[in-house]
Amino acid sequence: MKVWKQIVLGVAVLAVSAGIAVRFVPGADRVLLNAGLPQGLISILAPAIDSEAMAATPPQGGQGQAAQGGARRGAAVLVTTAPVATGIVNDKLEAIGDGQAIKSVTVMPAVSGALASVEIESGAKVEAGTIVARLDDASEKIAVSSAKLALAAAEEKAARYKGLQSVTRVERDDAQRAVDEAKLALDTAELNLKRRAIIAPISGIAGIVAVNPGDNVTTQTEVVALDDRSEILVDFWVPERFASAIKVGAPVDASAIARPGKPYTGTVAAIDSRIDSASRTIRVRAQIPNADDELRAGMSFTVSMKFSGETYPAIDPLSVQWDSKGSYVWRLNKDKAERVPVRIVQRNPENVLVEGELKEGEPVISEGMQRVRPGVQLTVAGAKAAGQS
């Protein structure tokens, strides 16, 4: 390739590179001016460049740099602002919980034996003290009768000894002791007979009866489950940040996943004493009335609670900037920019909640921040110039 072609090709590559740099690299236009590139050529490469700023920037020299600084300080930077609003965090809680009956028990025999009869049906309403089933108790009835006879004989002998002068004190004491032992034997026999009846300890609705007459049952055999579902307890887990806000007796809104659209209201019945270290959550128990018997133990619930929450300044997400010191925003103070450090509390789709020295209604720069520096004069987009009516 000839030398002049190489020169033309090199100039073209440099021009394209300079154009890309000017368009996409901030401050590249001024670097090219300082390097001696004609301003007209730079304007062709990047028409969007602020011509006044380039005109105010001399190509080189210390005096030129001073003039450049003065021009920058004198030129107003066009920005867009948005007022600071307020937002609330931790004002609502939603969780998934599991329901259980307020009282629930699985009825089991107190002793082992053959089942003689079942006294209830599945799904029946059972009152506390009702006999659910009976075990074969023939031998226990015989033992009770025998104990009663023994007690009667002992009492008769003790009474006879009291009227005889020839009986010693020791014999009278032995006769009375025999009476006491007979009473204990009768109590034991009656207790064994009573245990042959399986009794409901609570009032509730019977589940499916799992045994039949003739079955041999033990103390581990589940005869029937009883649920008092006049109220439903819902256990749910909440993040630890709500631990201090939740109080016993606070209102709770719930809806059963199996019955969408049907709201239920209740109260907080209990709060666990500690936070789970693995999940960083705490267990809360809500109590929901079930007068219509629509809810069942084991149902899943969506639980929601409302709180007063914490208020923070809310700003446009574009307003937040970062540097080595952390996040910050530019606040408009008259026609100057003022840097305000902030800490991001929560990100929302429409705004960002921050912690910082910002007041509601204060203007915060949201666009045009590339050339904003402390003390730089600003012009707000859409605002009327001074002196215009």
Side-chain angles (χ1 to χ4, degrees):
M1 182 182 292
K2 296 183 179 181
V3 176
W4 68 271
K5 290 184 179 180
Q6 295 179 358
I7 295 174
V8 172
L9 180 59
V11 171
V13 171
L14 291 175
V16 172
S17 301
I20 294 174
V22 169
R23 288 177 182 271
F24 298 104
V25 178
D29 53 342
R30 295 176 179 81
V31 174
L32 295 176
L33 284 172
N34 293 334
L37 199 66
Q39 178 180 335
L41 180 57
I42 297 177
S43 299
I44 294 174
L45 295 174
I49 297 175
D50 188 345
S51 59
E52 292 185 2
M54 288 194 303
T57 306
Q60 59 186 2
Q63 294 180 353
Q65 292 179 357
Q68 174 188 353
R72 287 184 180 178
R73 286 191 294 269
V77 176
L78 184 64
V79 296
T80 301
T81 63
V84 176
T86 57
I88 301 177
V89 297
N90 297 338
D91 62 329
K92 188 175 182 180
L93 163 69
E94 290 190 353
I96 300 295
D98 297 324
Q100 57 182 308
I102 189 171
K103 293 180 182 178
S104 183
V105 64
T106 300
V107 181
M108 297 181 179
V111 294
S112 301
L115 198 64
S117 64
V118 177
E119 305 294 334
I120 65 169
E121 295 181 354
S122 301
K125 185 175 182 180
V126 179
E127 299 295 332
T130 301
I131 295 178
V132 174
R134 294 180 183 273
L135 299 176
D136 179 57
D137 56 3
S139 60
E140 285 73 20
K141 289 180 178 179
I142 294 173
V144 170
S145 299
S146 177
K148 287 181 178 179
L149 292 174
L151 176 59
E155 290 177 340
E156 182 181 352
K157 182 178 180 180
R160 187 171 60 250
Y161 276 14
K162 287 182 180 180
L164 297 176
Q165 297 295 331
S166 60
V167 177
T168 64
R169 180 179 178 181
V170 173
E171 290 176 327
R172 292 192 185 94
D173 292 342
D174 289 342
Q176 185 59 44
R177 188 176 299 108
V179 172
D180 294 339
E181 291 176 352
K183 288 181 178 179
L184 289 176
L186 178 59
D187 291 342
T188 301
E190 290 178 339
L191 177 61
N192 291 335
L193 177 60
K194 183 179 180 181
R195 286 179 173 175
R196 308 303 286 183
I198 304 173
I199 298 174
I202 65 170
S203 299
I205 307 299
I208 296 177
V209 180
V211 295
N212 295 297
D215 289 343
N216 284 315
V217 297
T218 67
T219 56
Q220 301 300 317
T221 302
E222 297 181 1
V223 177
V224 67
L226 295 178
D227 289 332
D228 178 4
R229 55 188 189 227
S230 59
E231 292 183 293
I232 298 295
L233 301 178
V234 180
D235 287 355
F236 57 99
W237 295 82
V238 302
E240 61 179 334
R241 67 177 182 271
F242 291 100
S244 60
I246 297 179
K247 306 294 182 183
V248 173
V252 173
D253 296 324
S255 63
I257 295 178
R259 298 178 62 86
K262 181 66 181 295
Y264 298 91
T265 58
T267 57
V268 174
I271 304 171
D272 206 350
S273 61
R274 62 184 62 184
I275 293 173
D276 181 68
S277 58
S279 62
R280 311 312 307 175
T281 56
I282 186 170
R283 186 173 67 168
V284 179
R285 173 169 291 176
Q287 187 169 329
I288 301 173
N290 187 30
D292 297 332
D293 198 30
E294 297 177 338
L295 305 177
R296 297 290 186 270
M299 277 185 169
S300 296
F301 292 84
T302 300
V303 181
S304 63
M305 298 182 67
K306 295 182 179 180
F307 307 93
S308 57
E310 303 174 24
T311 303
Y312 289 93
I315 61 176
D316 191 314
L318 298 176
S319 300
V320 183
Q321 302 293 302
W322 286 267
D323 61 9
S324 59
K325 297 181 181 179
S327 55
Y328 65 94
V329 298
W330 291 109
R331 176 172 55 194
L332 186 64
N333 186 3
K334 296 182 180 180
D335 60 347
K336 305 293 183 181
E338 182 180 1
R339 176 189 169 120
V340 180
V342 296
R343 180 181 68 86
I344 297 177
V345 176
Q346 178 175 296
R347 293 183 180 272
N348 300 321
E350 69 282 358
N351 57 33
V352 175
L353 304 187
V354 297
E355 183 179 10
E357 296 181 0
L358 296 174
K359 297 181 180 179
E360 185 177 3
E362 289 183 330
V364 172
I365 300 176
S366 58
E367 296 182 25
M369 291 169 288
Q370 293 80 1
R371 298 174 58 189
V372 174
R373 298 292 182 272
V376 172
Q377 186 176 0
L378 305 176
T379 299
V380 180
K384 295 182 179 181
Q388 291 183 355
S389 55

